[in-house]
Amino acid sequence: MTFKQFFPIPLFIAVQAVTLVMLDLQPNPLIPHLWTWISFQAWAMYFLAGCTLKGGVKVFLGYLGGALASAAIMKLIGLIGQWIPQLAGTPALAISVFVVVIAVISAERVPMFNFVPAWFIGAGVYFGIMNLQKGAAHVATGTHLMVSCAVGLVYGVVTVPIRGKYEAWLKAKSAQPVIAGK
């Protein structure tokens, strides 16, 4: 494929990226709870998960699992600090992470939950939001995370077949015999 033939692909993806950004125009976003930076991550995770609907579901479930794991760590930190005040703070964090990560990695054994990278991305984003927005509610954070993840996955689902059809069209076009004089 020449660069001239390839160029419509990045052009199409750039148009998609612009439409994604336009959905989050402030102060009146078209999709409530959308944070495009999360959508761009989820869009990339769709590709890492194999560019299939099943992979997309695994990404979505991984982000959800990561959010729930993060919330569990935060709640467990508080409980440990209440039950054993000497372990409050960093020791409680370490114990909580230890316990929850065992459960997260065990998800590898469950087919629809076994895309563990999505768990870690989802958990990291969730923790990041909660730390940047002190006092943020778990439900609000989870809503932003999951809406944004879903939108990014839709963009991934749209990207793959359109690119595939374009590449198939190019291949079919190049396979057609050239008739002399035409």
Side-chain angles (χ1 to χ4, degrees), residues 30-116:
L30 294 173
I31 299 177
H33 311 291
L34 175 65
W35 287 343
T36 56
W37 63 274
I38 298 171
S39 298
F40 279 109
Q41 288 179 343
W43 189 358
M45 290 298 292
Y46 179 78
F47 297 119
L48 291 172
C51 299
T52 64
L53 291 177
K54 183 177 179 180
V57 171
K58 287 182 174 190
V59 169
F60 188 82
L61 293 174
Y63 269 59
L64 179 60
L68 293 173
S70 292
I73 288 169
M74 291 175 190
K75 292 294 184 185
L76 194 52
I77 290 168
L79 291 174
I80 291 170
Q82 286 176 350
W83 295 335
I84 311 167
Q86 309 87 293
L87 296 179
T90 303
L93 171 63
I95 293 166
S96 300
V97 167
F98 179 81
V99 170
V100 173
V101 168
I102 290 171
V104 168
I105 300 303
S106 294
E108 282 186 20
R109 306 296 292 174
V110 182
M112 287 309 292
F113 292 90
N114 66 355
F115 191 57
V116 175

